[in-house]
Amino acid sequence: MGKVYLVGAGPGDPELITLKGIKCIQQSDVILYDRLVNKELLSYAKKGADLIYCGKLPNFHTMKQETINRFLIRYAKSGKIVTRLKGGDPFIFGRGGEEAEALAGQNIPFEVVPGITSGIAAAAYAGIPVTHRELSSSVAFVTGHQKNDRIEDEKWESLAKGIDTLAIYMGVSNLPYIKEQLLKYGKSEHTPVALVHWGTTEVQRTVTGTLATIVEIVKQEKIENPSMIVIGEVVRYREKIKWFEETLKNRIAISEAL
């Protein structure tokens, strides 16, 4: 019997993976990796390791989750060391819980190696602290996929009334719906909003607005997935502490000077 490591690759910057995550990649015979995993991380794989792409695009799955589960089980049962390399953290909208459940059901040894999730990292690289002593004592990680039912309405009511900062994943296409729900349940139209596109990478791009204006701004700026949506008063800190853009400017200036 082999073993499976469910590894969080972090949000995009390859240096943000954990040391344990790197060690898992180095020792694995098989690596199944997702679309948002930085491909530089695959350079740590040992010679001869099988690299299997499992990437998913919005509304198009290269490999179904059930197929991925079968691969993990099959390789582990054949005695292989397997790393399932997932963007961000495996247990935050990464379906790592489903994979762990499938492995446990077959009595296959596995470990979960947490990773830095984009809800924290993309915001931080945009200069937005998701919590702050003065403005935010609570943060919620939310999927932006749209549903139209009573339970979904109750969820948005709780988020609008009870949480200071919302970090919304996979929500660009449903931004008008998200805006509508938050306004419907009492969130001010002046609430600041940021979208961080390809956060923590060298092509990171951030746009800001308010609940009243953000849909039009996103349309004008042509912001698409992958993007994190951050909603709350903490977005106001971006103007003071947007450190990453300044770092990139300095890198470019030094490069051009050389």
Side-chain angles (χ1 to χ4, degrees):
M1 181 70 76
K3 186 171 184 176
V4 176
Y5 295 94
L6 304 175
V7 178
D13 182 340
E15 294 184 356
L16 292 179
I17 192 173
T18 62
L19 286 173
K20 187 165 187 176
I22 291 293
K23 289 178 181 178
C24 292
I25 294 172
Q26 290 172 331
Q27 70 183 16
S28 288
D29 304 303
V30 182
I31 299 170
L32 291 89
Y33 65 97
D34 284 345
R35 179 175 72 99
L36 298 182
V37 168
N38 192 307
K39 304 305 182 293
E40 289 183 37
L41 295 175
L42 300 177
S43 67
Y44 291 100
K46 66 184 181 182
K47 188 175 181 180
D50 289 327
L51 307 178
I52 301 173
Y53 179 64
C54 305
K56 301 181 181 74
L57 290 164
N59 303 316
F60 180 79
H61 288 192
T62 298
M63 191 180 291
K64 292 183 177 180
Q65 187 62 51
E66 294 76 15
T67 304
I68 295 171
N69 293 350
R70 285 197 294 270
F71 269 125
L72 295 175
I73 292 166
R74 188 180 77 188
Y75 281 118
K77 283 188 172 181
S78 68
K80 304 286 188 182
I81 301 298
V82 183
T83 283
R84 175 72 173 104
L85 194 58
K86 308 170 79 68
D89 178 271
F91 277 10
I92 299 182
F93 303 123
R95 305 189 77 167
E98 296 173 43
E99 292 167 356
E101 186 179 15
L103 295 168
Q106 295 291 320
N107 295 314
I108 292 170
F110 68 91
E111 289 187 28
V112 179
V113 181
I116 301 173
T117 185
S118 295
I120 296 169
Y125 269 56
I128 302 168
V130 293
T131 67
H132 191 283
R133 185 171 59 172
E134 295 177 2
L135 289 180
S136 176
S137 60
S138 60
V139 58
F141 299 134
V142 185
T143 176
H145 288 320
Q146 181 175 342
K147 293 180 182 177
N148 290 303
D149 55 34
R150 183 179 58 80
I151 294 174
E152 185 72 4
D153 283 350
E154 290 176 356
K155 180 188 85 172
W156 285 108
E157 182 176 11
S158 298
L159 291 172
K161 294 179 178 178
I163 305 296
D164 296 320
T165 304
L166 304 178
I168 301 178
Y169 298 65
M170 304 166 287
V172 176
S173 62
N174 287 328
L175 188 56
Y177 170 78
I178 293 167
K179 165 190 170 179
E180 174 190 317
Q181 292 297 99
L182 292 175
L183 292 176
K184 174 182 175 181
Y185 290 112
K187 209 78 167 169
S188 168
E189 66 176 10
H190 302 297
T191 303
V193 183
L195 275 84
V196 189
H197 180 62
W198 279 112
T200 79
T201 73
E202 291 193 351
V203 295
Q204 174 178 307
R205 194 167 159 232
T206 304
V207 300
T208 59
T210 65
L211 277 178
T213 63
I214 195 63
V215 171
E216 190 58 36
I217 290 171
V218 166
K219 195 178 299 182
Q220 290 174 356
E221 297 294 331
K222 299 180 179 178
I223 300 295
E224 300 177 340
N225 280 317
S227 295
M228 278 301 310
I229 304 170
V230 185
I231 301 174
E233 295 300 320
V234 289
V235 172
R236 299 186 191 281
Y237 285 99
R238 170 173 160 73
E239 288 307 310
K240 293 181 180 178
I241 56 176
K242 51 181 179 180
W243 62 275
F244 186 59
E245 283 91 341
E246 299 303 318
T247 301
L248 287 179
K249 286 178 186 176
N250 291 336
R251 285 181 194 169
I252 293 168
I254 292 171
S255 177
E256 290 176 348
L258 295 174

